[in-house]
Amino acid sequence: QLFAHPAFAVSTFEGTVAPLFLLGCAMFPFVIQMSEVVMERELKLRQALQAMGLYDTAYWLSWHIYQSGMALLFGFFIWVFGMIFQF
């Protein structure tokens, strides 16, 4: 016998769609973050802000706060939709 338990058969629509939905929810913030990084690099915003006297600490702190807030927001929406659709 190869496995300790028999294979689990998914028979509901939600059980089939939920993993794809959760994967998409996890990928979406990553794609948004990468597009923001590319846009920032193309426009050379960091260099312009440094030329105006912005400290590296303030730059990275603002980036971290913004990205943490977005991660919490996306996580909250995943939780809410999971509760609504009972995933």
Side-chain angles (χ1 to χ4, degrees), residues 27-37 66-67 70 74:
M27 286 181 6
F28 183 69
F30 178 75
V31 171
I32 295 296
Q33 185 178 17
M34 289 301 108
S35 67
E36 289 176 358
V37 168
Y66 175 74
Q67 292 300 328
M70 293 304 290
F74 282 123

Side-chain angles (χ1 to χ4, degrees), residues 2-86:
L2 296 175
F3 299 104
H5 299 286
F8 179 72
V10 177
S11 60
T12 63
F13 177 74
E14 294 87 7
T16 306
V17 174
L20 296 174
F21 177 75
L22 293 175
L23 178 67
C25 289
M27 286 181 6
F28 183 69
F30 178 75
V31 171
I32 295 296
Q33 185 178 17
M34 289 301 108
S35 67
E36 289 176 358
V37 168
V38 169
M39 181 189 66
E40 180 181 310
R41 297 264 171 107
E42 286 177 348
L43 297 176
K44 298 182 181 179
L45 294 178
R46 185 171 175 209
Q47 290 83 359
L49 290 171
Q50 283 180 341
M52 289 187 278
L54 179 71
Y55 293 113
D56 280 340
T57 307
Y59 172 78
W60 289 113
L61 183 64
S62 68
W63 181 262
H64 178 70
I65 290 171
Y66 175 74
Q67 292 300 328
S68 296
M70 293 304 290
L72 285 172
L73 183 67
F74 282 123
F76 175 73
F77 281 132
I78 290 173
W79 176 73
V80 167
F81 286 124
M83 295 298 285
I84 289 171
F85 295 116
Q86 297 178 357

